């Protein structure tokens, strides 16, 4: 019998007295795809960080290909043949794609220590081809879209002949095309004898791709077995400890005729063109489109983060012209941004600080208040955190950086809920979030809508939009190309609209 | 459509080369004010006088690129030239041996910085502030605060010319720039310096030996500082107790004016630091040629540098805007 | 018995965890006192306090700028320029031999002193003007960084060299003497046992503390320094916050200048020239980050105490001029290293952090 690719023996880890992992004993057979699932904060990333030498375990040991594996740092893990695709992308925005791909080891270095640029460019080009990214290799990474950055991160890991590749939520910002390509790449690698660890909150995906499944809950191993033993329902039961019948809560809100947000003819040259729509009281309006179709840009303009050259925005009968975010917030808008690390949170600040940031004045009772009401903030932040089931050890001292990905997302939403928004713009609100939490976020949306708020929800998951929205707008190439009422929801037509106006269909990552 | 595209392209090119345009503009300006400024001699002088600050600034750029700072370069210049000068007096060394000793002293000084910053993990600002103070004290102890004069064999280097054409300080400055450029752009260490400066934690996660990379940056900085000190002494002929004092600000200013960010990871040696260093010198040489009231010198040069930085920042914003990728395909 | 012991350990742990630099300074002071008894003598203590309060004011201002991720190198030249301008208004006599060539001779300066020489309002007017000029220079810094997006280091370096040049130009390198007594009293007098300098420093610190801990503005300052983008999305008026930080810094520099000028009984164009590294060094050794978003007023205070006690002790010791520098460097380094060790122990949980 060949020795297992990886074995964990009683691995535990504690952060500030909080158990992240307790006594994990687990073996991963070689040449298989191992799917790991678990709620946000279950310890998936922590387990992988231990394997990748980024975190040292408190107790326990590991073996890799039969050899003891005790990495002192990421470089050791790389030497042991482990490649890591990080959940929070680990790229250098100031460097080109080539530099990012080879930053810890360029393909050819001559005796003087000089790099062979030609060779590096060639290898980089090849690596990009395999993941289907068609960009010049010297493009700066900060100029890429999140989707393209994700592909660079993947290319970096698969390009180095690793025996074990860890993919920590690699698909969360990919569109369907790229996902499919990644999956076939994963199959190829597995067939070539590589072991892959695949972490995702899309349980269908995990079930489809994996040979074995591992389920974690609260830092403990709940179950593991071959994929034939699992269904999505069983995974959910193991993950959350109870049954969840529906993935989507029943709709409770009914849109009224009152218009909350009216947008007419909003244009920003080269970005968006003549956008007009209305958001009604109690309505959940979906905005579907491929990545790079101008959805996020539209949201930023509505919220006053970017200027527009023409058009009108009226929020609750107040025209917003050349407005700043502060005015938007005052008019009842809230904006859950897509990128939580760079725009959503202050990573170094405490949970309480983050939650209160947008609503400092509301919590103090008046818009012109200059004082911070510490007690009100503490009470409200605890309450919102409880409503959202945000898992955190200590609101005053734990920093946002130390939350799991899903809990960070809940934190961003919590921050905006504190402002009592009437018009809530959500940009990819469920990215990287577990099924239970997704359900909770949909419920929050429902409740807000039932309470008379209007919600604009941007997403690239058509299924989620059709399940939750009253109406869906489809955007493509900076224009709105379709407006579907709930009765007209039709996947094919919507997808068709999403590709309209693109000269070459498919390949949205390619520009 | 095509016209605007063309216009955009010209504007873009202009923006990209703004530092050079600015430089030439400044030059012409002084030329008009003081005709004798136009002579080759005065340009050569400006570059020559900028060479030592330039070399120190190049080293400083390495440290700034990793997101650190080295306040001790002035003391390093002083201490290493004092050591070299004393050795010459005591042992009657050849210029080459003196040079080696000077660089060796600079290297030792820099290793101390690197050790304190990377091993003892003291914040760079405080670490190098401590070595700034202590280094100056050590130098004054060795020299007894007396000026140490250098023999003619060494001062000759300051005024000699390569092939009787280009002054040596300028040649050495150029070589330093070239070496630094190669180090930063054509070696793995160089690329890793940028990565470390972008985000130390990410760099560690990516498997980069961050301790080594940061140490290299401090060592390069220290070695270049002593090198710059040596060249400066070769031009001045002696080291007095105030030698190099405040040079850290000159060096950082030249580097930042050249586009190196104090937050790390952004900027480049060429042409950035070169223009930064020469521009500062050019302004002061120009003011002398234009016979401006001495009391007004620092004010006018401050205004000029302010304008340069303002234009440059505006340019960066514009460039970013123009290069932002468009979503719509027409 | 053992209860007392654990309580002592907890107290110690708390002191070391949160007030480390202060504890370190106190220990250092005690040791020095044992060796050189006159360290704690009345004269020396007065000396310590008169050095500490003005610096405290400067560092408080600097801290605000550091918090928003900036740096203010121009504080020293703000001191010089305000010192000169204030003195030019209230001085009661100028020596023609020194000032005849002054560009302002005959305009606002004459043998009979400055613009408002002898006037009852001279001192208040001068003080207000000094503070206004300081805040004004801060405003220039702030607008240039926030609106024109220029790097703060360059902006304040330029304003530093411009205004120190300006101060020298205004006075043609001469000190301005003969300041009114009521002004000098600000620097030397005291309210009962409490020197005015201390009162002023405490007032400014109190204001700063309120801003940082009780006002919305304080949260904004931290948010802007931690992440500008997030702050902007969250509705923080980023530009305004940054401008405020620089204005406050300039204001504090001017307040410091008032104390220093009053103590020196002169307007000096070179005032504060060697203070810059002490100011920023105090802030950083206290634990305030140069990268923004991290720092407490308390830390600034500890940093100041550390620097002032260190300087003072070196001056009281019978040392060679060069040994002063070497020892100063070594002590700064040692404090920093101990601080790092302490932080690491804290992180690995060997010292429990009390709150
Ligand atoms: N550096 C850290 N410091 C403190 N706590 C941490 C740290 N890293 C992780 N944790 C905590 O450990 C727990 C497990 O986190 P982990 O990131 O492994 O979860 P996860 O399963 O990957 O969740 P997600 O699906 O949201 O990514 C969380 O409660 C998190 O708050
Ligand atoms: Mg995770």
């Amino acid at each position: 019998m060949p020795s297992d690719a990886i074995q964990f023996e009683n691995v535990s880890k504690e952060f500030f007295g909080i158990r992240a992992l307790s006594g994990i004993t687990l073996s991963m057979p070689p040449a298989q795809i191992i799917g790991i699932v678990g709620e946000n904060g279950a310890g998936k990333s922590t387990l992988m960080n231990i394997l990748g030498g980024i975190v040292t375990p408190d107790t326990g040991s590991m073996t890799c290909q039969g050899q003891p594996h005790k990495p002192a740092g990421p470089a050791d893990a790389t030497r042991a043949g482990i490649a890591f695709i990080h959940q929070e992308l680990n790229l250098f925005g100031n460097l080109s794609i080539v530099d990012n791909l080879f930053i810890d080891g360029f393909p050819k270095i001559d005796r003087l220590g000089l790099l062979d640029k030609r060779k590096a460019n060639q290898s980089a080009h090849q690596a990009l081809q395999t993941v289907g990214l068609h960009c010049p290799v010297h493009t700066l990474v900060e100029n890429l879209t999140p989707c393209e950055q994700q592909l660079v991160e993947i290319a970096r890991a698969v390009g180095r002949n690793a025996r074990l590749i860890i993919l920590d939520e690699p698909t969360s910002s990919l569109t369907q095309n790229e996902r499919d390509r990644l999956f076939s790449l994963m199959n190829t690698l597995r067939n070539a004898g590589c072991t892959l660890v695949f972490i995702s909150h899309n349980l269908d995906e995990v079930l489809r791709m994996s040979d074995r499944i591992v389920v974690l809950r609260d830092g403990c191993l709940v179950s593991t077995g071959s994929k034939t033993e699992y269904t999505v329902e069983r995974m959910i039961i193991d993950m959350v400890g109870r049954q969840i019948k529906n993935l989507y809560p029943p709709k409770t809100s009914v849109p009224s005729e009152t218009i909350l947000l009216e947008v007419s003819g909003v244009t920003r040259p080269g970005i968006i063109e003549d956008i007009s729509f209305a958001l009604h009281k109690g309505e959940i309006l979906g905005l579907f489109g491929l990545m790079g179709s101008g959805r996020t840009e539209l949201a930023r303009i509505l919220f006053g983060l970017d200027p527009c050259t023409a058009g009108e925005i009226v929020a609750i009968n107040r025209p917003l012209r050349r407005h700043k975010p502060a005015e938007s917030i005052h008019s009842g808008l809230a904006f859950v941004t897509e990128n939580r690390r760079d725009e959503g949170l202050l990573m170094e600040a405490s949970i309480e600080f983050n939650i209160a940031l947008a609503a400092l004045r509301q919590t103090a009772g008046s818009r012109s208040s200059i004082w911070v009401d510490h007690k009100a903030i503490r009470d409200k932040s605890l309450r919102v955190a409880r409503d959202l089931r945000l898992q955190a050890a200590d609101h005053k001292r734990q920093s946002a950086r130390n939350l799991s990905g899903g809990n960070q997302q809940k934190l961003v939403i919590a921050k905006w809920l504190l402002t009592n928004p009437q018009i809530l713009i959500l940009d990819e609100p469920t990215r990287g979030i577990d099924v239970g939490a997704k359900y909770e976020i949909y419920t929050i949306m429902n409740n807000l809508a039932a309470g008379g708020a209007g919600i604009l929800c941007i997403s690239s998951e058509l299924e989620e939009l059709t399940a939750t929205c009253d109406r869906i707008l489809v955007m493509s190439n900076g224009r709105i190309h379709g407006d579907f009422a709930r009765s007209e929801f039709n996947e094919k037509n919507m997808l068709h609209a999403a590709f309209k106006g693109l000269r070459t269909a498919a390949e949205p990552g390619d520009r | 459509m095509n016209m605007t595209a063309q216009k955009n392209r010209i504007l873009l090119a202009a923006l990209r080369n703004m530092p050079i345009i600015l430089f030439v503009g400044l030059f012409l300006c002084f030329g008009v004010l003081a005709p004798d400024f136009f002579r080759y001699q005065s340009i050569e002088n400006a570059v020559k006088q900028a060479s030592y600050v330039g070399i120190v600034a190049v080293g400083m750029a390495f440290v700034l690129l990793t997101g650190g700072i080295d306040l001790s370069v002035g003391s390093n210049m002083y201490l290493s030239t004092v050591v070299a000068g004393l050795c010459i007096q005591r042992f009657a060394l050849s210029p080459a041996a003196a040079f080696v000793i000077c660089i060796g002293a600079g290297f030792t000084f820099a290793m101390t910085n690197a050790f304190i910053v990377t091993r003892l993990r003291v914040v760079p600002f405080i670490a190098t502030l401590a070595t700034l103070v202590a280094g100056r004290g050590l130098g004054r102890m060795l020299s007894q605060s007396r000026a140490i004069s250098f023999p003619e064999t060494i001062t000759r280097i300051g005024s000699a010319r390569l092939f009787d054409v280009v002054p040596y300080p300028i040649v050495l400055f150029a070589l330093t720039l070239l070496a630094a450029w190669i180090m930063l752009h054509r070696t793995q260490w160089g690329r890793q310096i940028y990565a470390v400066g972008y985000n130390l934690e990410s760099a560690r996660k990516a498997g980069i030996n961050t301790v080594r990379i940061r140490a290299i940056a401090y060592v390069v900085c220290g070695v270049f500082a002593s090198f710059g000190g040596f060249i400066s002494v070769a031009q001045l002929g002696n080291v007095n107790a105030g030698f190099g004092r405040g040079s850290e600000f000159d060096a950082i200013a030249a580097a930042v004016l050249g586009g190196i960010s104090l937050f790390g990871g952004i900027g480049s040696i060429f042409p950035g630091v070169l223009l930064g260093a020469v521009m500062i010198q050019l302004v002061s040489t120009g003011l002398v040629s234009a016979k401006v009231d001495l009391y007004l010198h620092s004010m006018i040069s401050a205004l000029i540098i302010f304008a340069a930085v303002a234009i440059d920042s505006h340019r960066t914003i514009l460039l970013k805007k123009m290069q932002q990728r468009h979503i719509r395909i027409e | 018995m053992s209860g007392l012991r654990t309580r002592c350990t907890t107290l110690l742990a708390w002191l070391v965890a949160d007030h480390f630099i202060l504890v370190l300074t106190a220990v250092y002071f005690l040791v020095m006192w044992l060796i050189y008894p006159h360290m704690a003598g009345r004269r020396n203590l007065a000396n310590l306090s008169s050095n500490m309060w003005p610096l405290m004011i400067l560092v408080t201002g600097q801290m605000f700028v550091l918090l928003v991720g900036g740096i203010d190198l121009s504080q020293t030249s703000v001191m010089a320029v305000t010192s000169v301008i204030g003195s030019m208004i209230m001085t009661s006599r100028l020596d023609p031999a020194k000032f005849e060539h002054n560009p302002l001779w005959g305009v606002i300066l004459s043998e009979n002193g400055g613009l408002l020489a002898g006037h009852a309002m001279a001192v208040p007017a001068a003080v207000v003007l000094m503070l206004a000029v300081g805040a004004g220079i801060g405003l220039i810094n702030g607008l240039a960084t926030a609106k024109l997006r220029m790097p703060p280091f360059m902006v304040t370096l330029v304003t530093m060299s411009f205004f120190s040049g300006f101060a020298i130009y205004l006075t043609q390198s001469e000190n301005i003497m003969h300041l009114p007594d009521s002004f000098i009293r600000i620097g030397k007098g005291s309210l009962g046992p409490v020197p005015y300098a201390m009162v002023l420093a405490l007032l400014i610190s109190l204001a700063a503390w309120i801003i940082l801990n009780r006002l919305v503005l304080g949260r904004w300052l931290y948010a802007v320094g931690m992440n500008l983008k997030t702050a902007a999305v969250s509705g923080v008026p980023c530009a305004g916050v940054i401008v405020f930080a620089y204005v406050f810094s300039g204001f504090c520099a001017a307040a410091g200048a008032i104390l220093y000028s009053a103590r020196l009984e002169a307007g000096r164009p070179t005032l504060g020239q060697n203070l810059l590294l002490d100011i920023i060094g105090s802030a950083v050794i206290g634990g305030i980050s140069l990268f923004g978003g991290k720092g407490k007023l308390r830390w600034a205070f500890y940093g100041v105490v550390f620097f002032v006690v260190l300087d003072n002790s070196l001056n009281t010791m019978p040392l060679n001029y060069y040994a002063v520098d070497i020892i100063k460097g070594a002590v700064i380094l040692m404090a920093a290293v101990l601080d790092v060790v302490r932080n690491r122990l804290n992180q690995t949980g060997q010292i429990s952090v009390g709150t």
Side-chain angles (χ1 to χ4, degrees), chain A residues 410-423:
Chain A
K410 287 186 192 169
L411 183 56
V412 184
I413 296 179
K415 170 173 103 176
W416 288 112
L417 287 189
L418 227 59
T419 65
N420 294 324
Q422 288 303 298
I423 301 163

Side-chain angles (χ1 to χ4, degrees), chain A residues 285-495:
Chain A
L285 177 61
L287 183 55
F288 175 68
L290 302 175
M291 239 155 267
S293 58
R295 310 166 310 175
T296 301
E297 287 74 8
L298 172 61
R300 289 178 61 87
I301 289 171
L302 293 181
F303 198 65
L305 282 163
D306 288 336
C308 61
T309 53
E312 265 187 53
I313 303 167
V314 181
I316 320 183
N317 301 325
R318 255 172 70 113
L320 294 174
R321 228 170 265 123
R322 298 171 161 271
H323 54 305
K324 293 249 166 56
E327 283 169 79
S328 310
I329 294 172
H330 178 57
S331 314
L333 270 93
F335 180 26
V336 175
T337 43
E338 141 188 65
N339 183 340
R340 53 182 175 247
R341 185 161 68 165
D342 290 345
E343 299 187 319
L345 294 174
L346 302 171
M347 287 306 219
E348 310 304 333
S350 71
I351 293 172
E352 205 178 277
F353 195 104
N354 270 296
I355 287 190
L357 184 59
L360 286 169
R361 296 191 147 163
Q362 273 95 334
T363 46
S366 105
R367 173 168 137 84
S368 55
S369 166
I370 58 166
W371 301 95
V372 174
D373 186 340
H374 290 264
K375 191 174 158 352
I377 285 178
R378 186 152 339 117
D379 295 347
K380 286 197 183 178
S381 86
L382 279 175
R383 206 179 60 227
V384 178
R386 187 158 12 88
D387 290 349
L388 295 183
R389 292 207 226 170
L390 187 129
Q391 289 170 3
D394 181 339
H395 280 230
K396 239 180 129 61
R397 288 199 293 139
Q398 189 173 11
S399 67
R401 182 176 299 290
N402 295 336
L403 290 175
S404 76
N407 281 313
Q408 287 178 354
Q409 183 69 13
K410 287 186 192 169
L411 183 56
V412 184
I413 296 179
K415 170 173 103 176
W416 288 112
L417 287 189
L418 227 59
T419 65
N420 294 324
Q422 288 303 298
I423 301 163
L424 180 62
I425 306 173
L426 299 154
D427 195 356
E428 298 281 5
T430 59
R431 175 177 295 164
I433 286 200
D434 69 46
V435 271
K438 269 186 194 165
Y439 190 90
E440 281 156 20
I441 287 176
Y442 301 138
T443 315
I444 296 166
M445 285 164 56
N446 267 341
N447 292 345
L448 282 175
I455 292 173
L456 179 66
C457 179
I458 301 174
S459 174
S460 18
E461 307 262 341
L462 200 47
E463 189 194 322
E464 137 180 320
L465 289 181
T466 48
T468 53
C469 295
D470 298 300
R471 195 153 61 92
I472 296 179
L473 304 173
V474 182
M475 217 172 154
S476 158
N477 195 14
R479 273 175 181 278
I480 289 183
H481 276 285
D483 183 344
F484 300 82
R486 194 165 175 85
S487 55
E488 315 161 335
F489 283 0
N490 173 322
E491 191 148 325
K492 197 161 149 251
N493 290 349
M494 290 190 219
L495 276 176

